[in-house]
């Protein structure tokens, strides 16, 4: 069974790789950002609740995010596996995901940890910001995001390492090469 998480710093290519790996394994790639947008667009109760927080400039609480993920993982297309991108983001969400899966007698099989040198990531993100005209993404902001990522995800990664399910993969290089390294790590 392929119940997977993909974790990595900003700029490591998680979104790109999630789609490629999911296609290869014939499982859905589930991005929390996509779940939020879908619920908001479809004006579900959870979508309306999330939108009220977003519109007021606040973070959507874990309870709403957890409920959206739970609903998504109840859909038929995840019966043979899934690849989660962007969830869990904290230890409380790790416990909630464990509970969601335990209700189905399931668990996470593998955590794909994309690793990359911070200086390389800064260069990659500055280049992407220039290409997309994102003036708010300067080196100071990017380095801060990388620091926040390290602080927030270190406990998650440690928790999954304890379970022996983390596979580290070099996230730098050509997209196809990274995809190949991930697939090799999963085999």
């Amino acid at each position: 069974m392929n119940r997977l998480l993909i974790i990595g710093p900003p700029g490591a290519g998680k979104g790109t790789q999630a789609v490629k790996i999911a296609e290869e394994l014939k499982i859905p790639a589930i991005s929390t950002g996509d779940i939020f947008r879908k619920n908001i667009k479809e004006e579900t109760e959870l979508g309306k609740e999330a939108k009220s927080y977003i519109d007021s400039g606040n973070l959507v609480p874990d309870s709403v995010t957890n409920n959206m993920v739970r609903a998504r993982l109840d859909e038929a297309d995840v019966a043979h596996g899934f690849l989660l991108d962007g969830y869990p983001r904290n230890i409380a969400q790790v416990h909630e995901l464990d509970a969601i899966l335990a209700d189905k007698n399931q668990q996470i099989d593998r955590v794909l940890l994309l690793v990359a040198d911070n200086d390389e990531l800064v260069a990659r993100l500055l280049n992407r910001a220039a290409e997309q005209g994102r003036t708010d993404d300067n080196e100071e902001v990017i380095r801060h995001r990388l620091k926040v990522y390290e602080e927030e995800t270190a406990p998650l990664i440690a928790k999954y390492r304890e379970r022996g399910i983390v596979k580290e993969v070099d996230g730098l290089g050509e997209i196809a090469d990274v995809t190949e390294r991930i697939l090799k790590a999963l085999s």
Side-chain angles (χ1 to χ4, degrees):
M1 188 60 74
N2 286 307
R3 288 180 292 270
L4 311 170
L5 303 180
I6 190 165
I7 298 175
K14 292 180 303 295
T16 300
Q17 290 302 327
V19 170
K20 298 258 181 226
I21 298 305
E23 284 174 2
E24 193 69 33
L25 299 177
K26 297 178 179 30
I27 57 174
I30 301 173
S31 151
T32 47
D34 291 345
I35 295 173
F36 273 78
R37 285 184 287 279
K38 182 177 187 274
N39 276 274
I40 291 169
K41 183 180 179 209
E42 293 177 0
E43 297 184 358
T44 67
E45 287 306 312
L46 289 170
K48 290 176 190 172
E49 191 175 352
K51 189 175 184 323
S52 71
Y53 288 102
I54 293 166
D55 288 350
S56 63
N58 293 309
L59 290 174
V60 177
D62 279 359
S63 60
V64 176
T65 305
N66 293 338
N67 286 333
M68 283 188 188
V69 170
R70 181 180 290 276
R72 179 64 183 91
L73 292 179
D74 280 342
E75 293 180 25
D77 67 335
V78 302
H80 300 292
F82 55 82
L83 193 156
L84 270 175
D85 171 16
Y87 184 92
R89 287 197 183 270
N90 57 48
I91 290 294
Q93 288 181 352
V94 169
H95 295 305
E96 183 62 23
L97 179 59
D98 288 346
I100 291 167
L101 293 174
D103 288 348
K104 305 169 186 301
N105 293 316
Q106 298 175 349
Q107 62 189 13
I108 292 297
D109 299 310
R110 288 274 177 265
V111 176
L112 299 166
L113 175 59
L114 295 184
V115 294
D117 175 75
N118 275 359
D119 291 335
E120 291 280 339
L121 291 172
V122 169
R124 185 185 276 189
L125 289 168
L126 285 172
N127 186 45
R128 186 166 79 186
E131 287 173 0
Q132 297 175 358
R134 296 167 69 171
T135 54
D136 56 330
D137 271 0
N138 59 47
E139 184 167 349
E140 183 181 344
V141 168
I142 291 168
R143 288 200 183 274
H144 176 72
R145 284 174 45 211
L146 289 169
K147 185 174 185 285
V148 168
Y149 161 79
E150 288 169 11
E151 291 167 357
E152 289 181 354
T153 59
L156 272 72
I157 295 165
K159 178 66 84 180
Y160 288 120
R161 278 192 202 284
E162 287 171 12
R163 299 178 189 180
I165 60 172
V166 174
K167 293 287 186 182
E168 273 191 37
V169 179
D170 179 358
L172 294 176
E174 294 298 318
I175 292 170
D177 295 340
V178 177
T179 304
E180 192 175 310
R181 287 194 291 266
I182 291 172
L183 291 170
K184 188 175 178 185
L186 288 173
S187 62

